[in-house]
Amino acid sequence: MPSQIPPALKRRIPKVGDLAPLMQFRKPELGSAARLRRASTIWDLRDQAKRRTPTAPFDYTDGAAEAEITLRRARGAFLDLEFRPGILRNVETVDSSVSVLGQQSSQPFGIAPTGFTRMMQSEGEYAGSQAAEAAGIPYTLSTMGTASIEDVAAAAPNGRNWFQLYLWTDRDRSMELIDRAAKAGNDTLMVTVDTAVAGSRLRDVRNGLTIPPALTAKTVLDASYRPAWWFNFLTHEPLAFASLSRYSGTVADLINSMFDPTLTYEDLDWLRDVWKGNLVVKGIQTVDDAKKAVDHGVDGLVLSNHGGRQLDRAPIPLHLVPDVAAALKGKTTIMLDTGIMSGGDIVAALALGADFTLIGRAYLYGLMAGGRAGVDRTIEILSKETARTMQLLGVNRVEDLNPDHVRLL
Ligand SMILES: Cc1cc2nc3c(=O)[nH]c(=O)nc-3n(C[C@H](O)[C@H](O)[C@H](O)COP(=O)(O)O)c2cc1C
């Protein structure tokens, strides 16, 4: 006997009344707030950033050193892992705040120091520090920042501001900055040590990047379809540096003038003597150096290869975490940066043993996509992804994350 077609599967002429509930034409949302809301991931913000920023500043941010192998591997390391969730835990509420260097941070990440930030987008350091202040996370101003220590402190008076130092053997020059950072209320000094000389950032060479950006036929053409960037750039205060007086020249020359190839652990001892707050060393790349830095009295380490912008084929910070944690967990604050593009990346680093993480490009993409509101969006995306990943792992507090939650593939 032929099988019967159930009535629900029989074809019929559609009735107009059936269509009404399906028709949900919304007024298109315009404006930068709507555009930023449409970005669901940091990669989406990067796409917006690329469309809105002239090639030279975008590439300065997005690029890395030499063949950019370090950066690709660092991001790849976060992809080449598997989470191992626990089930049937009550994760209705989740708290991703942590205590870092003696104070609470609402999120397990803060903003890494970045130079030339007002070149990426005119609001630069002000956008970063104010967004961090509003979110309750630390913000780090770079020695090569394009706003002064005092102006950033005034812009985000209730924020937790840290200062990143490029140390010179010229102690008077270093001491002046250290004094200013202390007077402006910075509780943490982060000394970067992976910059004996400047890495070779080939995109900048190819783009002929200079500070300030030069108006050549090529850049004018490039600018013609990014008018907002140029309008902002030309109608705000010219770039000034946190620590240098006005400078003009190529980025590579400026960077080289900031780096001192003669530094040794003795200089770190001097710094430990003169700086009374938290001292953090950024750019640790081996377990031996991690131990040595702690022996020299630092309060924290940043496992970092400078976002792949210095030595190419450098060690990948995520891979260093388990060994550094085995040697030093509880004895110092272990932080990590390089390659973080999602909350899942942050959770993986914490589970493997990091106490805190820093984001560089992730916040700069937000900045270039939409100034202060774009940095807010970066923080919002990463916060939500962090909380959701923790809940799906069956964890509602950061201290309950452990290496069993991650398998490196
Ligand atoms: C555009 C740019 C500028 C940077 N400038 C500095 C700097 O002035 N001082 C410093 O210690 N690190 C600097 N860094 C490195 C960051 O602090 C951080 O280590 C790196 O961005 C982390 O990698 P991520 O961008 O993948 O998050 C810079 C990074 C970028 C992308």
Side-chain angles (χ1 to χ4, degrees):
M1 213 173 85
S3 55
Q4 291 270 316
I5 298 177
L9 292 182
K10 280 200 184 134
R11 297 215 186 257
R12 65 185 181 97
I13 308 272
K15 296 183 193 125
V16 176
D18 294 345
L19 290 176
L22 302 178
M23 292 199 305
Q24 298 194 11
F25 299 115
R26 287 196 201 105
K27 236 177 50 205
E29 284 189 296
L30 301 173
S32 61
R35 177 170 53 70
L36 291 169
R37 256 199 315 279
R38 282 197 295 275
S40 308
T41 65
I42 302 299
W43 288 102
D44 292 344
L45 286 175
R46 179 184 176 278
D47 288 344
Q48 293 189 10
K50 188 167 185 181
R51 281 199 298 275
R52 304 179 65 79
T53 314
T55 303
F58 179 81
D59 270 354
Y60 174 69
T61 308
D62 193 59
E66 315 262 358
E68 306 193 355
I69 294 167
T70 304
L71 179 61
R72 275 198 300 282
R73 283 189 186 157
R75 286 183 176 157
F78 285 114
L79 303 180
D80 290 341
L81 59 82
E82 181 181 271
F83 281 123
R84 302 164 68 96
I87 53 160
L88 297 174
R89 273 83 164 162
N90 180 348
V91 288
E92 189 185 5
T93 60
V94 60
D95 176 5
S96 46
S97 69
V98 292
S99 168
V100 57
L101 295 165
Q103 284 184 43
Q104 209 62 17
S105 168
S106 72
Q107 295 297 327
F109 60 87
I111 292 187
T114 58
F116 310 116
T117 315
R118 293 188 54 232
M119 180 177 72
M120 286 77 163
Q121 204 273 356
S122 297
E123 295 170 35
E125 284 80 5
Y126 302 114
S129 56
Q130 291 182 333
E133 176 187 45
I137 63 173
Y139 170 80
T140 319
L141 174 68
S142 160
T143 299
M144 277 198 267
T146 37
S148 75
I149 298 174
E150 294 75 16
D151 285 350
V152 167
N158 300 313
R160 187 168 185 204
N161 295 328
W162 295 353
F163 184 67
Q164 177 263 323
L165 180 72
Y166 282 122
L167 182 64
W168 300 278
T169 36
D170 175 349
R171 302 229 158 131
D172 290 345
R173 205 171 153 205
S174 301
M175 200 59 222
E176 189 203 320
L177 280 182
I178 294 167
D179 277 342
R180 283 173 57 193
K183 278 206 193 85
N186 291 264
D187 67 276
T188 297
L189 189 70
M190 185 181 284
V191 56
T192 298
V193 295
D194 54 11
T195 49
V197 294
S200 175
R201 321 229 175 113
L202 296 174
R203 294 200 213 181
D204 300 346
V205 177
R206 292 182 187 124
N207 291 327
L209 178 64
T210 56
I211 302 286
L215 284 167
T216 61
K218 195 171 150 195
T219 53
V220 168
L221 182 68
D222 190 70
S224 60
Y225 47 99
R226 280 127 176 159
W229 185 94
W230 281 97
F231 179 73
N232 277 332
F233 184 72
L234 297 172
T235 55
H236 283 101
E237 273 286 291
L239 297 187
F241 289 94
S243 50
L244 300 163
S245 37
R246 292 291 286 281
Y247 179 91
S248 60
T250 68
V251 168
D253 288 345
L254 175 55
I255 291 177
N256 264 321
S257 78
M258 300 294 280
F259 297 166
D260 183 343
T262 68
L263 289 180
T264 66
Y265 272 97
E266 272 177 29
D267 298 286
L268 192 59
D269 292 337
W270 173 78
L271 203 53
R272 178 65 292 179
D273 256 11
V274 298
W275 175 260
K276 303 301 170 214
N278 300 311
L279 181 62
V280 170
V281 180
K282 173 172 182 279
I284 295 284
Q285 304 192 55
T286 66
V287 180
D288 272 357
D289 273 325
K291 288 185 192 156
K292 218 166 157 188
V294 171
D295 289 343
H296 284 255
V298 303
D299 304 293
L301 313 168
V302 187
L303 307 179
S304 167
N305 55 39
H306 214 108
R309 301 164 73 80
Q310 286 294 109
L311 176 68
D312 207 11
R313 286 173 286 189
I316 301 308
L318 187 75
H319 293 159
L320 268 177
V321 173
D323 288 346
V324 171
L328 296 168
K329 187 88 180 166
K331 294 187 187 136
T332 192
T333 298
I334 303 169
M335 305 192 231
L336 166 146
D337 75 19
T338 301
I340 291 175
M341 290 292 281
S342 74
D345 299 345
I346 292 168
V347 172
L350 299 170
L352 287 175
D355 299 304
F356 199 65
T357 60
L358 297 173
I359 51 165
R361 294 181 185 81
Y363 105 88
L364 294 173
Y365 294 140
L367 176 71
M368 292 186 284
R372 160 74 198 273
V375 184
D376 289 340
R377 184 71 182 136
T378 289
I379 296 173
E380 187 185 6
I381 289 172
L382 292 178
S383 303
K384 285 191 174 152
E385 287 173 345
T386 299
R388 188 170 55 242
T389 307
M390 287 172 61
Q391 285 172 299
L392 290 172
L393 282 178
V395 164
N396 44 19
R397 296 179 320 164
V398 170
E399 53 267 42
D400 295 337
L401 288 167
N402 67 63
D404 290 341
H405 287 114
V406 172
R407 191 161 72 95
L408 293 174
L409 299 178

